[in-house]
Amino acid sequence: MGAQKKGATARVSEDPEELARHPLQAILLADSFTTKFRPITLERPKVLLPLVNIPMINYTLAWLESAGVEEVFVFCCAHSKQVIDYLESSEWSSQPNFSVTTIESHNSISAGDALRLIYERNVIHGDFVLISGDTVSNMSLTQALQEHKDRRKKDANAIMTMVVKQAKPSPITQQSRLGTDELFMAINPVTKQLLYYEDKAEYSKGFISLDKTLIADNPSVILHNDKQDCYIDICSQEVLSLFTDNFDYQHLRRHFVKGLLVDDIMGYKIFTHEIHSSYAARIDNFRSYDTISKDIIQRWTYPFVPDVLCGSSAIKVERQGTYRASDVTLSRSAQLGSFIFIGQGTKIGNDTKISHSVIGERCTIGSNVTIEGSYIWNNVTIEDGCQLRNAIVCDGVILKSGAVLQPGVILSFKVVVGQQFVVPAYSKVSLLQQPTQQDSDEELEYADSTSGTGELRSDKLNGDIAPDLSETASELGTGGVGYIWKVFEGAYDEEWRHSVAPIPTDKLVKLMLDRDEDEELLTQDGNVISASGELKTDSDGNGSEDDDNEDSRDDYVSFEKEVEATFLRAVHENVKVDLAVLEVNALRLSYNMASVDCGGAIFYSMMKLAVESPHNSASELHRNAADIVTTWQKLLKSFLHDIDEEIEVILKFEEMCLESAKEFAALFPQILHLLYDKEILQEDAILRWADEKEGADESDKVFLKRSEKFIQWLREAEEEEEEEDE
Amino acid sequence: MDFQVVVLAGGNSKNLTPLVSKELPKPLLPVANCPVLNYVLHQLEQSNLKDLIVVVEGEDAALLVGAWISGTFIDRLHVEIAAVPEDIGTAGALRAISHHLTAKDILVVSGDLVSDVPPGALAATHRRHDAAVTTMLCSIPVSGPLESGSSGGKDKAKKLGRYNIIGLDPSKQFLLHIATEIEKDARISKRILHAVGQMEMRSDLMDAHMYAFKRSVLQEVLDIKDTFQSLKEDVLPYLVRSQLKSEALLNRTPQGEENSNEKVSSQNNQAFISRILANASTPSFHGLYSENPDGSSSTRKTHKCCVYIASSSSYCVRLNSIQAFMDINRDVTGDADHLLSPNNIIGPSPKLGTKTTVGPNCRLGEGSEMGDKCQVKRSIIGRHCRIGSHVKAVNSVVMNHVTIGDGCIIQGSVICSNVQLQERVVLKDCQVGAGFVVTAGSEYKAESLAKKEK
């Protein structure tokens, strides 16, 4: 391994002419190893899905060709046969200076596996472009490549250059545009080295932690929340060998990039190249499918737009961004809005309204149909009076008259929706049944084995669809065919985020407000009013306590609050003591606290209640406290199993007297006596507390002094007892 | 300008013993034969900031400082002297004199700052942004404590001013994050990143202890957070942390904050969204952020924390350690000699014996006498010193009225006033406290010599 790597290093660091002799190569992953495009991808690979009526992979290949790449290795795994067949029959197989070679695998489950396989084939001889087959771009590679090579000459450890792009400025649109998770990156502004990468935002954490050495090593680091990862990487050969070395690397970003940044493997470095005016984006989910389709129609991706890519004069661009194939049959009364695409051989009936949509080839659309923001692929039949909003409709689907697709609906191949049937929002409908076994860990997004079997099943299905017809008729209305996939719990929240439909405004506002709440929590982090009323942690930064401590204390603070709330509820609703005990116990388990903490927290709640109940004098306060203690002594007692826990209560009380409930300070000995009388505190506990306090500072002994008499009395009583015993 | 200046002059700094004493509080510590406080006051005067409160720790020190100021700056500055108890911290000192503050904005500057950055520039930045707080940042001095010298103050000096982690917005005008001396990893709040988009983290800047505050903000923070001790450690981080969510601090009544959140009705949502989309480029993230979902602007309160970054060529060092004292003395006579104000002109030439050489970057105070064959290099000699023959002084500071016997060798040391060095004393990297007598022939290395405090 080591020898191989050395060889690679030596070769790449040779003079530029040597480098120039290698043709520029690219690895195109024709499998995204995710399940986000299901159910469609059960039947057709993602890279072949039409994007404004042209398979996605064509955009990627066309860009690679224009960017000067000479040799492309297309890695296919799921539905590999379809991809290979497509490429063989397409124009790409016969380009003079652009060779497309397919590499087939049946058992790869991740990008990592793919790169390991490619490494074994030993086909990559120099720097290469790593891209997935669902990327649309029109950037020029020249500059990025040059930067990469220059860096390599200076530093052989600079093995990868990632292309990033400024995202939209508003914090909301950053997330909503491509439906991707928010991304945090730290980049050295001078060297452009990538120092930190976090894409799966850990929502629980309101902060980013940067390693201190990172900050010490780089006098200036820019943290970005406003960049978008284009998933176009210029890599050196080492990247492949690194994947082989680290056989556990699966995901390009989550494992490889993070691994390199965090584990500091052999000092390898990743750099970024920012593009400004050109376009680059990856279709990661239905939302980005929608966004990028619109960008293509609006020609941001020029020259990779339908009329140019098709080459022929078959598609004409008209005003308002209307793309129309030459032989569309259009009713005179049909109303076509702006930014639409209509493919060859499509017929559109009377009074049909279409806007912001893509309609594929040979579709038949009836009268009085409304289509807004939808993607209708080929050979789709839409009967009269249907309404479609923000839906994706795959090949061969039939919508019977009057069917309605609510926003976010995905209809996979050959689904039939019955008459007047309303498909609820965000439904995914397929002829294939939902794989019963959902990936338990969706985060990993491996394509599971079902993607392979799905292909088989679809073949079978194509053969005999008829038997299924009757069975599933009910699910999609009369005459409907297909299964509505269930949304898994937990995934439901994400549905709107990744959907083809625009994010509903209430969700957007909620997103904004949620963020606010997060902030509130965060502000509290820095400024917690603890239950004992003292102002905490503003000075924590100067570090008397370290963070672990802080965390556990924060836990305790919120635990105490919960206990207090429970207690108050018990008081106001006359909950039985047993039930209250149960509830507090449940809290204790969920916060992972000891029963010591429960005792303290309950006692604190009781005393706080006493202080907060109306009282005019100390004696009234004492009576309040006595009442409460009497009523709830059983609750308190059930958490005081031994002396230590009782001492904890005394300490808690002392703390309260000093801080939050100073009114009790005068009553300290009386309350102590009360607790003794009620047998909540044993005399042992009180005496041990007194002994412990004996050695403390003067200031700490205030309360000890006040209760001196009582303790004296206790001691005497004890001695008497002992004498009696004798 | 409606600016009031508070000079936190300090008192008997523990970091600087034995250089400072009851007779010589820190503000009067001579730097190139001129009290350190002079440098700040001179800069303030240059910026036409003449309404000053000088806060001194300890009554006695206050009297001494007051006497010096009235002697030096009479008719030039309007100075009030306020004495505060010792060890109450910078925030505590401000709290103690809070009732004296009347102007709209307050400039707080540390009395031990030796800098050529005009305070007026900071004040102007503050005004321009209508900021709640503006802080001055300067490059960490290159000639700083890390590489030079090996005196005992090194460790302390290393801690001070090192690893300030400062987060700035792309325009380098706003302060988004500040942390000092982190032992652990830096934690940056995502919220502010959401609001700003990108933040530059700098570790090559340090807080120069010159701040401009909006008076109302400052007074309220001091009022509410009565545990705050230090401006740098408590008040500034607090203001920075809460800048997107001012806690009703800013003298604005918290009107209807509660119900405004509930009023989010669907019809307003539309307006809200359109504004988000329209806000393609906002002049300031604070403005964008303060927009509320219900359409009315700025019920969500924000305040601005700004920075003024001194140009990297400017000089800016705080005299807070012995090492810094040495550095500043060296720089002020050397590279940064433009700092010496006109009233610092050396008096009548001191008397020098034959074959005595005084190298460049030296200062000799008036009335000092030197014997034959002395060598003085990169050193400062105070007033009325008597220096014998064959004395060698290198990289050292000798204060006033010091007697140095024949054949002494002094390297990298500080000799305070009224010290007597008898013959053939050899000192290397030492500090000798005021009035100390070093017996003949003794040799010390890296020690701190001072009279026992009674």
Side-chain angles (χ1 to χ4, degrees):
Chain A
M1 187 66 248
Q4 275 168 321
K5 197 174 295 165
K6 225 172 260 168
T9 318
R11 190 168 342 156
V12 179
S13 54
E14 274 162 22
D15 63 296
E17 283 155 72
E18 171 74 17
L19 278 174
R21 254 192 278 139
H22 293 297
L24 182 58
Q25 294 175 310
I27 295 176
L28 188 153
L29 301 177
D31 190 335
S32 57
F33 305 106
T34 67
T35 58
K36 286 190 181 144
F37 268 75
R38 285 193 179 182
I40 303 174
T41 47
L42 284 184
E43 292 165 66
R44 190 184 284 187
K46 185 172 160 194
V47 291
L48 294 186
L49 303 186
L51 185 67
V52 196
N53 217 24
I54 296 167
M56 282 183 202
I57 197 168
N58 277 10
Y59 289 91
T60 317
L61 287 171
W63 170 68
L64 286 174
E65 188 195 14
S66 75
V69 175
E70 289 160 78
E71 212 178 344
V72 179
F73 296 95
V74 177
F75 179 88
C76 11
C77 179
H79 307 286
S80 53
K81 198 165 177 306
Q82 287 190 40
V83 180
I84 294 169
D85 288 350
Y86 174 79
L87 287 175
E88 275 171 3
S89 63
S90 73
E91 60 201 76
W92 299 115
S93 53
S94 55
Q95 296 280 327
N97 295 319
F98 186 66
S99 81
V100 176
T101 316
T102 50
I103 295 177
E104 195 180 352
S105 161
H106 293 294
N107 52 7
S108 298
I109 53 160
S110 69
D113 289 345
L115 294 180
R116 281 185 275 274
L117 187 78
I118 292 169
Y119 179 77
E120 281 167 21
R121 298 277 172 103
N122 202 18
V123 287
I124 298 292
H125 305 296
D127 290 350
F128 63 96
V129 180
L130 178 58
I131 189 172
S132 99
D134 46 13
T135 310
V136 178
S137 172
N138 61 2
M139 70 175 278
S140 152
L141 271 179
T142 328
Q143 203 198 342
L145 266 175
Q146 197 53 48
E147 279 176 21
H148 181 76
K149 285 185 172 149
D150 290 349
R151 261 197 296 268
R152 287 281 297 180
K153 255 181 258 166
K154 278 184 235 144
D155 181 357
N157 282 335
I159 55 163
M160 181 161 146
T161 302
M162 260 169 62
V163 176
V164 296
K165 186 177 183 346
Q166 179 80 32
K168 294 287 168 184
S170 156
I172 279 293
T173 42
Q174 271 167 38
Q175 253 202 0
S176 55
R177 205 178 113 82
L178 291 177
T180 43
D181 294 310
E182 56 181 352
L183 170 67
F184 291 96
M185 286 191 283
I187 296 171
N188 182 322
V190 183
T191 64
K192 304 288 178 205
Q193 190 187 345
L194 181 74
L195 303 166
Y196 180 85
Y197 189 96
E198 178 184 318
D199 70 338
K200 198 82 180 177
E202 293 166 57
Y203 293 109
S204 54
K205 269 165 61 177
F207 55 86
I208 292 170
S209 46
L210 292 182
D211 196 79
K212 68 171 177 203
T213 54
L214 190 147
I215 288 171
D217 294 346
N218 300 279
S220 172
V221 176
I222 295 189
L223 270 175
H224 290 284
N225 178 225
D226 56 349
K227 293 279 185 281
Q228 162 200 329
D229 187 347
C230 303
Y231 297 95
I232 298 173
D233 304 323
I234 299 165
C235 306
S236 301
Q237 274 182 310
E238 283 88 337
V239 171
L240 291 180
S241 52
L242 265 174
F243 267 100
T244 311
D245 286 355
N246 297 280
F247 51 84
D248 55 331
Y249 282 0
Q250 306 288 357
H251 191 274
L252 265 181
R253 293 291 183 258
R254 225 157 282 150
H255 298 119
F256 175 70
V257 170
K258 276 204 129 172
L260 236 53
L261 293 178
V262 176
D263 302 339
D264 196 19
I265 294 168
M266 305 181 71
Y268 284 137
K269 293 172 192 154
I270 299 174
F271 290 83
T272 57
H273 172 77
E274 187 174 350
I275 53 171
H276 298 279
S277 54
S278 18
Y279 190 88
R282 181 178 170 204
I283 298 161
D284 180 56
N285 50 45
F286 288 120
R287 168 162 307 283
S288 38
Y289 178 85
D290 174 56
T291 310
I292 293 171
S293 297
K294 284 183 176 139
D295 288 341
I296 292 171
I297 291 178
Q298 294 177 6
R299 302 181 89 75
W300 290 105
T301 58
Y302 188 85
F304 307 110
V305 288
D307 49 319
V308 179
L309 276 180
C310 283
S312 61
S313 56
I315 292 167
K316 279 193 217 128
V317 189
E318 297 167 9
R319 275 182 303 155
Q320 289 186 312
T322 305
Y323 296 70
R324 187 140 52 120
S326 47
D327 55 350
V328 170
T329 316
L330 189 62
S331 155
R332 208 171 274 274
S333 58
Q335 298 171 26
L336 300 187
S338 52
F339 299 118
I340 59 171
F341 178 99
I342 298 171
Q344 273 194 337
T346 288
K347 297 191 185 90
I348 296 173
N350 297 325
D351 291 318
T352 287
K353 290 178 197 161
I354 301 174
S355 62
H356 295 99
S357 299
V358 173
I359 294 165
E361 295 171 6
R362 296 176 302 280
C363 294
T364 312
I365 296 171
S367 308
N368 285 314
V369 175
T370 310
I371 300 175
E372 268 179 39
S374 298
Y375 299 89
I376 293 161
W377 297 356
N378 302 331
N379 300 319
V380 173
T381 307
I382 298 176
E383 295 183 359
D384 297 353
C386 288
Q387 292 188 13
L388 292 84
R389 282 199 175 74
N390 303 106
I392 293 180
V393 178
C394 297
D395 293 4
V397 167
I398 299 168
L399 296 186
K400 296 267 174 80
S401 58
V404 176
L405 302 188
Q406 289 186 340
V409 167
I410 311 291
L411 298 184
S412 189
F413 299 93
K414 296 191 170 119
V415 163
V416 180
V417 178
Q419 268 186 20
Q420 310 289 341
F421 188 78
V422 178
V423 183
Y426 303 122
S427 313
K428 291 175 179 170
V429 187
S430 171
L431 285 189
L432 298 178
Q433 272 186 348
Q434 191 161 14
T436 43
Q437 220 180 336
Q438 182 76 359
D439 295 1
S440 56
D441 190 358
E442 220 184 348
E443 307 273 304
L444 288 174
E445 285 168 1
Y446 304 143
D448 53 51
S449 51
T450 48
S451 55
T453 58
E455 194 177 359
L456 293 174
R457 266 205 291 168
S458 73
D459 290 345
K460 192 186 78 185
L461 261 173
N462 289 345
D464 49 1
I465 264 180
D468 274 319
L469 263 169
S470 52
E471 287 172 34
T472 57
S474 55
E475 223 174 313
L476 285 171
T478 37
V481 181
Y483 300 99
I484 297 184
W485 282 25
K486 285 189 192 67
V487 175
F488 285 91
E489 266 185 53
Y492 189 75
D493 279 350
E494 298 303 302
E495 213 59 44
W496 56 269
R497 204 187 287 274
H498 297 306
S499 163
V500 63
I503 298 180
T505 46
D506 57 315
K507 294 282 189 194
L508 261 188
V509 170
K510 192 165 156 281
L511 203 68
M512 199 77 166
L513 290 179
D514 275 357
R515 194 170 277 170
D516 255 15
E517 275 160 34
D518 286 353
E519 285 152 26
E520 252 149 65
L521 286 174
L522 198 78
T523 332
Q524 278 177 7
D525 269 353
N527 191 2
V528 177
I529 310 287
S530 83
S532 47
E534 82 197 289
L535 187 64
K536 270 192 181 161
T537 68
D538 264 319
S539 51
D540 268 2
N542 336 350
S544 54
E545 268 153 305
D546 63 24
D547 271 355
D548 303 340
N549 225 329
E550 211 169 285
D551 289 347
S552 66
R553 195 183 46 192
D554 283 354
D555 269 358
Y556 181 67
V557 168
S558 50
F559 168 70
E560 213 171 46
K561 277 191 184 141
E562 287 286 333
V563 170
E564 192 186 334
T566 309
F567 176 71
L568 288 179
R569 202 171 53 243
V571 170
H572 294 311
E573 296 169 12
N574 283 324
V575 175
K576 285 209 178 92
V577 171
D578 296 346
L579 286 178
V581 170
L582 272 180
E583 277 188 44
V584 174
N585 252 327
L587 280 175
R588 174 174 72 89
L589 291 176
S590 68
Y591 277 85
N592 196 15
M593 293 287 167
S595 66
V596 170
D597 302 310
C598 297
I602 292 170
F603 180 72
Y604 167 76
S605 319
M606 290 165 72
M607 288 299 120
K608 199 167 166 203
L609 180 66
V611 170
E612 279 162 7
S613 326
H615 58 269
N616 294 323
S617 63
S619 59
E620 274 181 52
L621 178 62
H622 181 243
R623 208 170 54 235
N624 279 349
D627 287 349
I628 291 166
V629 171
T630 320
T631 325
W632 296 99
Q633 52 177 313
K634 206 175 146 208
L635 173 64
L636 184 53
K637 197 61 202 163
S638 49
F639 290 97
L640 303 178
H641 304 301
D642 61 29
I643 302 270
D644 284 338
E645 287 159 358
E646 291 173 19
I647 293 176
E648 178 66 26
V649 167
I650 308 181
L651 292 175
K652 184 88 205 167
F653 187 38
E654 224 181 341
E655 193 185 312
M656 285 182 75
C657 290
L658 279 174
E659 282 147 2
S660 55
K662 294 207 171 71
E663 283 178 87
F664 272 120
L667 290 173
F668 188 86
Q670 283 93 315
I671 301 279
L672 206 58
H673 198 159
L674 174 74
L675 293 175
Y676 173 73
D677 283 348
K678 295 284 173 204
E679 293 183 343
I680 288 167
L681 301 178
Q682 302 170 33
E683 57 184 61
D684 276 357
I686 298 174
L687 290 178
R688 263 184 51 192
W689 166 76
D691 290 345
E692 269 175 30
K693 280 282 163 177
E694 208 62 56
D697 289 345
E698 260 335 279
S699 56
D700 243 7
K701 287 191 347 199
V702 182
F703 294 108
L704 182 61
K705 288 220 175 102
R706 286 203 190 147
S707 37
E708 211 159 1
K709 258 189 187 164
F710 173 60
I711 288 164
Q712 192 65 34
W713 175 80
L714 273 181
R715 281 190 208 282
E716 279 163 12
E718 193 180 28
E719 277 159 27
E720 274 168 32
E721 251 174 56
E722 275 168 22
E723 278 163 26
E724 277 168 27
D725 285 351
E726 282 163 19
Chain B
M1 280 207 275
D2 187 20
F3 254 101
Q4 228 175 345
V5 183
V6 177
V7 180
L8 298 174
N12 289 322
S13 164
K14 288 193 183 70
N15 285 346
L16 286 167
T17 44
L19 305 191
V20 296
S21 60
K22 272 205 177 99
E23 294 73 37
L24 187 71
K26 180 176 164 186
L28 299 183
L29 200 61
V31 171
N33 292 336
C34 181
V36 61
L37 189 57
N38 186 56
Y39 293 89
V40 170
L41 297 187
H42 179 70
Q43 285 295 336
L44 290 170
E45 189 190 4
Q46 296 283 307
S47 291
N48 207 19
L49 292 161
K50 295 189 173 172
D51 191 10
L52 270 60
I53 301 176
V54 176
V55 184
V56 186
E57 287 185 354
E59 294 281 349
D60 300 340
L63 286 176
L64 287 169
V65 174
W68 174 77
I69 290 177
S70 54
T72 319
F73 284 94
I74 190 152
D75 299 337
R76 290 163 59 195
L77 295 173
H78 174 250
V79 180
E80 274 179 68
I81 306 284
V84 296
E86 291 182 33
D87 296 328
I88 58 172
T90 45
L94 275 178
R95 201 176 284 123
I97 59 145
S98 176
H99 55 282
H100 288 296
L101 303 176
T102 51
K104 181 166 171 274
D105 295 289
I106 309 294
L107 187 76
V108 181
V109 55
S110 173
D112 57 6
L113 188 69
V114 178
S115 162
D116 56 4
V117 183
L122 174 77
T125 308
H126 181 68
R127 276 288 162 80
R128 189 164 63 241
H129 292 293
D130 190 28
V133 59
T134 306
T135 180
M136 185 167 95
L137 302 175
C138 59
S139 320
I140 292 176
V142 209
S143 57
L146 284 171
E147 46 195 48
S148 63
S150 57
S151 84
K154 188 186 170 187
D155 286 343
K156 264 175 201 157
K158 191 173 180 176
K159 264 189 167 177
L160 292 166
R162 180 73 173 146
Y163 285 148
N164 267 322
I165 308 239
I166 287 159
L168 303 172
D169 81 311
S171 65
K172 299 196 186 354
Q173 289 175 329
F174 299 107
L175 183 60
L176 308 175
H177 177 84
I178 186 159
T180 43
E181 284 180 50
I182 46 150
E183 266 86 47
K184 294 191 153 192
D185 299 349
R187 288 176 157 195
I188 296 105
S189 125
K190 279 182 187 163
R191 160 181 50 141
I192 193 127
L193 260 176
H194 284 307
V196 192
Q198 75 179 59
M199 180 200 288
E200 183 175 3
M201 307 298 299
R202 298 281 291 263
S203 51
D204 57 346
L205 293 173
M206 72 169 202
D207 181 349
H209 277 238
M210 194 193 281
Y211 313 100
F213 286 101
K214 202 174 265 182
R215 177 179 55 87
S216 51
V217 174
L218 178 66
Q219 283 177 333
E220 280 202 60
V221 173
L222 291 176
D223 229 30
I224 294 171
K225 307 284 180 187
D226 53 2
T227 49
F228 281 6
Q229 283 268 316
S230 153
L231 284 181
K232 181 191 162 106
E233 309 277 350
D234 301 328
V235 178
L236 184 63
Y238 169 76
L239 284 173
V240 170
R241 211 165 44 223
S242 61
Q243 60 181 311
L244 292 184
K245 197 168 183 60
S246 307
E247 291 168 356
L249 277 177
L250 308 182
N251 262 1
R252 295 180 221 157
T253 43
Q255 41 181 344
E257 192 173 22
E258 294 303 310
N259 44 20
S260 69
N261 272 348
E262 290 155 21
K263 268 193 253 162
V264 186
S265 58
S266 55
Q267 77 211 47
N268 281 335
N269 286 348
Q270 208 53 50
F272 169 56
I273 301 301
S274 65
R275 202 173 35 251
I276 288 174
L277 299 175
N279 259 323
S281 62
T282 41
S284 153
F285 65 92
H286 287 101
L288 173 60
Y289 205 78
S290 62
E291 304 237 320
N292 235 13
D294 69 346
S296 68
S297 71
S298 94
T299 42
R300 194 184 331 210
K301 296 192 199 74
T302 59
H303 58 247
K304 294 180 190 170
C305 298
C306 295
V307 290
Y308 174 78
I309 302 178
S311 73
S312 54
S313 61
S314 56
Y315 189 78
C316 186
V317 186
R318 287 187 64 211
L319 202 171
N320 51 11
S321 66
I322 290 171
Q323 186 58 50
F325 178 75
M326 300 299 291
D327 288 339
I328 292 171
N329 271 299
R330 181 193 62 218
D331 297 335
V332 163
T333 52
D335 301 338
D337 56 356
H338 56 284
L339 279 168
L340 292 176
S341 49
N343 66 340
N344 220 21
I345 291 165
I346 308 154
S349 268
K351 290 175 195 163
L352 302 181
T354 56
K355 289 194 179 169
T356 285
T357 51
V358 177
N361 301 344
C362 286
R363 282 287 182 282
L364 296 183
E366 59 183 298
S368 286
E369 292 175 15
M370 295 182 84
D372 298 339
K373 293 184 183 168
C374 290
Q375 281 187 321
V376 181
K377 283 190 220 159
R378 297 184 297 277
S379 295
I380 292 162
I381 313 281
R383 296 182 190 86
H384 306 289
C385 291
R386 290 175 176 282
I387 296 174
S389 304
H390 299 283
V391 171
K392 210 173 155 185
V394 183
N395 288 334
S396 295
V397 178
V398 176
M399 295 186 193
N400 303 333
H401 304 285
V402 174
T403 311
I404 300 178
D406 294 348
C408 287
I409 298 173
I410 307 161
Q411 279 187 309
S413 299
V414 185
I415 317 290
C416 290
S417 297
N418 301 317
V419 165
Q420 197 184 343
L421 300 186
Q422 294 174 345
E423 288 83 30
R424 298 180 313 284
V425 166
V426 179
L427 296 177
K428 189 162 189 287
D429 300 329
C430 289
Q431 297 89 42
V432 185
F436 195 81
V437 179
V438 184
T439 48
S442 43
E443 285 189 28
Y444 292 101
K445 198 174 172 189
E447 278 191 66
S448 177
L449 310 168
K451 282 200 285 190
K452 293 266 187 307
E453 290 282 335
K454 281 149 253 171

